[in-house]
């Protein structure tokens, strides 16, 4: 499974910290959350996922600025940040947002989107301290780009958590 080792390590780290994660996905179409829940014990930390594949859903469900989407399209670092921030709130439990929100948005192909080349991806990581987006440039077919996105996001999330120690 893509990112399986990273997913297991991430689930273990979140469990040890008593933290939770919520996932907002576009181009990966649920692959991130599927990878995470493939790890035994994931239910202790994974709140769930929102697949906001259609651009308007990024606004209506995750709260991404409609002006931002209109001006820059869905493949933008600020969209990734707002998706990650929005999913923390969207999957709140008893009014408590998830500790972490992570997101994916980009172009898996076969054609460019919003003037962005195939393989251009932004992943977002958000916490109560704010949000950050990372730009990726991945090669391969749709499946390779989607799987590469999952691996990169989980690795960056693990690094981010370790950096907070």
């Amino acid at each position: 499974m893509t990112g399986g080792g990273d997913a297991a390590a991430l689930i273990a780290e979140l469990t040890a910290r008593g933290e939770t994660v919520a996932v907002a996905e576009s181009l990966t179409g649920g692959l991130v959350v599927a990878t995470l829940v493939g790890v035994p014990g994931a239910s202790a930390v994974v709140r769930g996922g929102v697949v906001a594949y259609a651009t308007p859903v990024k606004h209506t469900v995750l709260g991404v600025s409609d002006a931002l989407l209109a001006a820059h399209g869905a493949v933008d670092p600020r969209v990734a940040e707002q998706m990650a921030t929005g999913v923390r709130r969207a999957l709140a439990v008893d009014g408590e947002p998830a500790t972490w929100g992570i997101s994916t948005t980009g172009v898996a192909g076969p054609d460019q989107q919003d003037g962005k080349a195939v393989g251009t991806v932004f992943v977002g990581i958000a916490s109560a301290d704010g949000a950050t987006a990372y730009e990726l440039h991945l090669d391969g077919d749709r499946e390779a780009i989607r799987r590469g996105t999952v691996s990169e996001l989980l690795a960056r999330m693990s690094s981010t958590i370790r950096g907070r120690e």
Side-chain angles (χ1 to χ4, degrees), residues 2 14 16 20 30 32 34 55 57 67 71 74 81 100 112-113 119 129-130 135 138-139 144 146 148-149 154 156 158:
T2 298
L14 290 170
T20 58
V32 175
T55 298
V57 175
E81 290 171 357
W100 297 96
Q112 71 173 3
Q113 177 185 338
D129 296 330
E135 184 170 357
L138 303 171
D139 294 318
R146 293 174 67 235
T149 299
L154 296 182
R156 288 175 191 266
S158 292

Side-chain angles (χ1 to χ4, degrees), residues 6-120:
D6 287 333
L10 181 56
I11 295 297
E13 186 67 28
L14 290 170
T15 301
R17 292 170 173 263
E19 296 177 343
T20 58
V21 64
V23 183
E25 301 183 65
S26 186
L27 81 149
T28 48
L31 192 56
V32 175
V33 78
T35 300
L36 290 172
V37 301
V39 176
S43 62
V45 299
V46 177
R47 288 273 178 92
V50 172
V51 176
Y53 200 69
T55 298
V57 175
K58 292 169 180 62
H59 171 68
T60 59
V61 175
L62 298 173
V64 175
S65 164
D66 57 351
L68 172 63
L69 291 167
H72 298 281
V75 184
D76 184 86
R78 290 162 297 178
V79 171
E81 290 171 357
Q82 289 183 18
M83 287 174 66
T85 298
V87 79
R88 289 183 65 235
R89 289 189 301 267
L91 298 182
V93 173
D94 296 329
E96 184 65 30
T99 312
W100 297 96
I102 59 177
S103 67
T104 66
T105 187
V107 186
D111 301 315
Q112 71 173 3
Q113 177 185 338
D114 300 329
K116 303 292 191 318
V118 173
T120 303

Side-chain angles (χ1 to χ4, degrees), residues 24 77 80-81 84-85 101-105 122-126 131-134 153 157:
E81 290 171 357
T85 298
I102 59 177
S103 67
T104 66
T105 187
F122 295 96
V123 296
I125 299 174
T132 303
Y134 301 93
L153 175 56
M157 180 62 183

